[in-house]
């Protein structure tokens, strides 16, 4: 069960400088846990632990360390040791690491890699951020369609050690174009003499290096793949995307959407590791933008000063109106933005969403208005017209808020803007403005102010 | 590449009643795509397509259909055919299906399953919702530690066909207790005569049947597992969780958090398939709760009627103050709630978060206040004291909002309440109330109202 964070024994050996016992204990631990353990140690101790690691674990632990600790380690080891680690890393892990390190450290790392590794890493570093190319790995098993099952299994046994994923094998022709896929499960369940060309699935679902990673991830989830081949513009197989990368991308994208919908610049690093100024910077810009929205609302409110000077009670219902409008709008926009993110709602569903939100908002608006009307009649007897004004403004606010909240993200997406970023400020501004204008106009007419 | 939604050919064969060509074309399609195609057909046509499916595809397509279409199919086939499908389904897919179907259909399905299958399904149906037991599958490969690698590979070749995941094999003793794991990769890369007991990893990270699925999923993500063994309270191996289930759970949990943070009751079904009344119901309750918050704010506002009757200009800054407070608070609560959901922030980090939010909110608050003060001095010359009042209230609002937004979710979690649900209404109420009290108190003193 929970074996995480059970580092007492390791700490004790480290304190006692009993490096032999430490080495034996480390060998039994998972590389993710060791990385966690090292992350919380002081620099010199982390270096000691790393040097004590069994050789075969070193690269794996290294790829799980945060960039700060990686830098410390890189500074403390010889060029030869560094070269060995870089060779042991899978290309995608090496690229992830290099993207976070300062330029002088990157130079030193690349200098100590073998020429082929260096070329591969350089090529991968060139794929644009968030592209499939930036998350793929180059270590896959390739087969030829003329091989038999036993040839294929022999090849896997020979070259499998260095491959990140061996369970799906890719069949390529002499020009490295992808011809089909075959899984290890199919190989194991077929007679030894079966020819790969007869066994392989020819209708392969692929991703392109330049495609957005989110789209590729959605495709993998749709088909429940544990890996997907990545081809270039000439259909040549250049890499694969594996399911662990997919889970990371899913988590990142969801976190990014959360941040955007809460009106923040998305952050690259986890909360506890981001410094205070970075956090403040990410938040100030959008708060300023949204403050403009509050100013517009204030400006509109200013036009009705005469009304609320004549009847100050009107003011006390404003927070309820604008809050409810904001909440109703963000309910709709959240559902639609999330629906688009997981691929359920497409821009073509515009009319469906509009019609649905119109009906939902009417039901919700009527329910809220009735409850409010009853409450106001009880709390302010003799002010039935005010109660009616508030109830009517509330209904109109909810309908406007939900309709705009539902369709604005779709409009944003179809003009290639980011729905999650556009939603909050625009909806708040429009809904607040509409609800105040409706409220005071109804009030002026009904209450003859 | 994108081969989804290319159903023209299928449609044409269906129109022409050319069932032979249809069958051939279907055999080339992915089961997920066929399910998609069937979902959009009228009932009678969907039934025809299903009957035309090659036998080996039928169960796979069936498990990808939405419950409505599954019911239509179940009604149109014989008991014998139904029995065959149930036997072909993996247990977790069968359980997923049965949970969505009406009781009389469930009865018919279970009646037509083999006794062992029926027992297994019944057992799985009893695991609580959101528990690991409810998402696990019973089809895994079990080995004995006395086997050699070639024994193990032979066993996989013999029984692998019916197993959902063959790539991680589980070593159990005579009482079915879990002793270790070994991957197919390790088997393939080891000499034939190696004994499994020497090869297997003994330190196995497991999940319990009764554990919350979200915790198990976080553990799998942490270690990048493609499957994880599930044991009962006596450490007996009862099932495995596979990575495709994990991705579904991740997506569901993120969607649920989005819904809760936008103040909605989480919905079981995708947006476009949920009917209008269901959607309205999910939204009304929380809007009513939040309306109470608006009323409290209104009540507080009522106490200062004399102040804003004397100086109506004060009213026009209220939306900006409360909006900014709400936005600033939801930035902090979103980061913390998400941080807890992905396992980065723990209740023990309470003081770290508090200290961080205090500093961030001070920086953000000062920046916004300065911008606002300058704007107000320019726009309302001669009213420097009002500008100062607004600026000071704004700073106080941002600090209160961010501090409460940061720590409230942690408090909610440590008293076992749902952070995502608690956040919105409490933060809005507290922040709105505080900011208005501060605003008017500062105004009364500074402006001598």
């Amino acid at each position: 069960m929970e074996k995480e964070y059970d580092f007492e024994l390791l700490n004790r050996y480290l304190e006692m400088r009993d490096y032999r016992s430490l080495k034996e204990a480390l060998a039994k631990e998972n590389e993710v846990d060791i990385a966690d353990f090292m992350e919380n140690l002081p620099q010199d101790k982390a270096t000691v632990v790393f040097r004590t690691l069994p050789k075969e674990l070193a690269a794996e632990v290294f790829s799980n360390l945060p960039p700060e600790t990686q830098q410390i380690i890189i500074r403390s080891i010889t060029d030869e040791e560094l070269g060995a680690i870089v060779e042991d890393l899978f290309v995608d892990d090496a690229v992830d690491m290099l993207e976070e390190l300062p330029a002088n450290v990157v130079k030193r790392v690349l200098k100590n890699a073998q020429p082929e590794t260096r070329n591969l890493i350089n090529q991968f570093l060139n794929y644009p951020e968030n592209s499939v190319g930036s998350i793929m790995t180059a270590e896959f098993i390739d087969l030829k369609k003329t091989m038999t099952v036993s040839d294929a299994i022999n090849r896997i046994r020979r070259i499998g050690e260095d491959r990140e994923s061996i369970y799906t094998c890719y069949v390529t022709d002499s020009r490295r174009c992808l011809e089909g896929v075959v899984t290890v499960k199919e190989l194991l369940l077929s007679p030894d003499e079966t020819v790969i060309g007869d066994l392989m699935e020819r209708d392969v679902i692929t991703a392109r290096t330049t495609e957005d990673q989110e789209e590729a991830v959605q495709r993998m989830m749709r088909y429940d793949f544990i890996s997907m081949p990545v081809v270039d513009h000439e259909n040549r197989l250049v890499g694969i995307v594996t399911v662990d990368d997919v889970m990371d991308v899913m988590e990142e994208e969801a976190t990014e959407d959360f941040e955007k919908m809460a009106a923040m610049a998305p952050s690259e690093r986890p909360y506890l590791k981001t410094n205070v100024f970075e956090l403040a910077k990410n938040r100030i810009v959008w708060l300023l933008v949204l403050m403009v929205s509050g100013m517009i609302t204030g400006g509109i409110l200013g036009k009705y000063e005469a009304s609320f000077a004549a009847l100050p009670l009107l003011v006390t219902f404003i927070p309820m109106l604008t809050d409810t409008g904001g909440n109703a709008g963000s309910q709709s926009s959240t559902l639609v933005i999330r629906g688009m993110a997981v691929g359920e709602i497409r821009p073509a569903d515009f009319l469906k969403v509009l019609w649905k939100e119109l009906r939902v908002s009417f039901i919700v608006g009527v329910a809220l208005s009735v409850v409010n009307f009853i409450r106001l009649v009880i709390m302010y007897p003799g002010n039935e017209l005010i109660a009616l004004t508030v109830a009517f403004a509330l209904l109109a606010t909810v309908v406007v808020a939900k309709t705009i909240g539902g369709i604005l993200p779709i409009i944003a997406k179809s003009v290639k803007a980011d729905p999650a970023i556009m939603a909050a400020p625009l909806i708040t501004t429009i809904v607040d403005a509409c609800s105040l204008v409706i409220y005071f106009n109804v009030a002026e007419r009904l209450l003859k102010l």
Side-chain angles (χ1 to χ4, degrees), chain A:
Chain A
M1 191 97 4
E2 283 278 357
K3 60 182 283 293
E4 310 163 27
Y5 315 106
D6 170 25
F7 300 138
E8 261 179 61
L9 198 67
L10 295 178
N11 261 319
R12 207 166 336 131
Y13 292 141
L14 194 56
E15 289 304 319
M16 291 158 47
R17 294 165 201 262
D18 179 353
Y19 297 124
R20 207 175 58 182
S21 305
L22 181 64
K23 187 167 192 160
E24 278 165 20
L26 284 170
K28 284 190 204 135
E29 292 289 335
N30 184 295
E31 64 270 16
V32 182
D33 293 322
I34 300 176
D36 234 40
F37 171 61
M38 286 177 59
E39 199 183 326
N40 296 310
L41 290 176
Q43 290 202 16
D44 54 331
K45 294 241 166 104
T47 316
V48 170
V49 171
F50 191 77
R51 295 199 151 278
T52 316
L53 281 177
K55 206 169 165 310
E56 62 280 9
L57 259 177
E60 284 178 55
V61 170
F62 187 81
S63 73
N64 278 295
L65 290 171
E68 298 80 24
T69 319
Q70 287 183 337
Q71 276 190 62
I72 294 166
I73 300 296
I74 292 176
R75 259 186 263 120
S76 77
I77 59 180
T78 66
D79 280 4
E80 199 180 327
E81 288 168 322
L82 181 58
I85 289 177
V86 176
E87 290 303 321
D88 271 1
L89 287 176
F90 290 122
V91 170
D92 57 339
D93 291 332
V95 170
D96 280 355
M97 168 186 91
L98 293 176
E99 278 169 345
E100 301 284 335
L101 294 178
N104 59 333
V105 183
V106 171
K107 236 185 218 165
R108 194 174 148 225
V109 171
L110 283 179
K111 213 187 64 193
N112 290 294
Q114 299 290 320
E116 314 91 85
T117 313
R118 187 164 53 233
N119 284 341
L120 206 52
I121 291 177
N122 271 324
Q123 180 196 331
F124 274 53
L125 280 172
N126 281 330
Y127 289 113
E129 212 187 340
N130 297 326
S131 70
V132 171
S134 72
I135 56 164
M136 72 183 183
T137 178
E139 287 92 356
F140 52 83
I141 305 262
D142 56 325
L143 303 174
K144 296 282 166 242
K145 65 179 169 191
T146 50
M147 288 178 171
T148 62
V149 165
S150 66
D151 294 340
I153 290 180
N154 282 334
R155 181 166 167 80
I156 294 172
R157 294 188 108 155
R158 207 171 58 245
I159 67 169
E161 188 77 68
D162 296 332
R163 309 296 146 133
E164 185 161 351
S165 169
I166 68 158
Y167 298 130
T168 307
C169 304
Y170 301 93
V171 184
T172 55
D173 66 14
S174 55
R175 287 167 38 253
R176 289 204 296 120
C177 286
L178 184 62
E179 293 189 305
V181 294
V182 62
T183 64
V184 166
K185 183 171 176 175
E186 287 157 350
L187 292 177
L188 284 179
L189 301 181
S190 303
D192 281 339
E193 61 284 0
T194 314
V195 176
I196 299 298
D198 297 337
L199 194 61
M200 70 185 188
E201 166 74 44
R202 284 161 197 279
D203 234 343
V204 189
I205 293 164
T206 60
R208 259 187 209 287
T209 46
T210 49
E211 197 181 354
D212 187 78
Q213 58 179 24
E214 207 173 342
E215 284 169 32
V217 164
Q218 275 182 23
R219 204 165 323 131
M220 281 183 76
M221 282 204 59
R222 178 178 157 87
Y223 295 107
D224 278 342
F225 287 159
I226 58 171
S227 65
M228 184 157 72
V230 182
V231 295
D232 65 11
H233 52 102
E234 293 174 71
N235 200 33
R236 277 185 314 229
L237 182 63
V238 286
I240 58 171
V241 175
T242 55
V243 75
D244 52 320
D245 304 317
V246 167
M247 292 198 286
D248 294 343
V249 171
M250 278 176 67
E251 199 171 282
E252 272 166 35
E253 302 275 351
T255 300
E256 237 185 78
D257 276 352
F258 274 109
E259 288 168 342
K260 286 184 204 155
M261 284 161 81
M264 277 172 283
S267 119
E268 291 280 301
R269 297 154 57 76
Y271 175 80
L272 289 176
K273 291 196 185 133
T274 315
N275 75 46
V276 171
F277 291 97
E278 176 81 21
L279 282 174
K281 201 190 70 193
N282 288 341
R283 302 183 191 180
I284 287 175
V285 180
W286 276 105
L287 286 181
L288 280 173
V289 172
L290 288 164
M291 231 169 59
V292 174
S293 151
M295 290 172 200
I296 296 175
T297 317
I300 291 172
L301 211 45
K303 298 215 168 166
Y304 299 100
E305 255 187 45
S307 300
F308 60 76
L311 191 56
L313 182 60
L314 283 181
V315 171
T316 64
F317 304 119
I318 291 176
M320 192 268 293
L321 273 179
T322 54
D323 282 1
T324 306
N327 294 326
S330 82
Q331 287 182 334
S332 305
S333 64
T334 300
L335 280 182
V336 172
I337 291 169
R338 181 68 187 157
M340 292 195 298
V342 299
E344 187 218 342
I345 300 173
R346 288 152 207 278
D349 296 319
F350 183 86
L351 286 178
K352 270 193 220 166
V353 172
L354 178 62
W355 176 225
K356 198 152 217 166
E357 285 303 316
L358 273 175
R359 287 176 296 162
V360 172
S361 65
F362 190 77
I363 299 173
V364 172
V366 168
L368 295 183
S369 295
V370 169
V371 171
N372 236 285
F373 183 77
I374 295 172
R375 172 184 83 98
L376 293 180
V377 168
I378 295 170
M379 286 176 69
Y380 303 91
N383 285 316
E384 284 76 17
L385 278 182
I386 294 186
L388 199 63
T389 305
V390 174
F392 185 80
L394 187 60
L395 170 60
T397 302
V398 171
V399 172
V400 170
K402 288 205 161 293
T403 313
I404 292 177
I407 62 175
L408 201 69
I410 305 185
I411 295 174
K413 175 128 187 185
S414 49
V415 299
K416 308 265 181 229
D418 188 323
I421 283 187
M422 301 290 297
L426 267 175
I427 293 173
T428 321
T429 315
I430 301 175
V431 171
D432 280 5
C434 289
S435 78
L436 289 178
V437 170
I438 295 167
Y439 180 47
F440 281 105
N441 274 302
V442 174
E444 284 174 356
R445 244 149 265 186
L446 227 53
L447 306 168
K448 315 233 173 346
L449 295 172

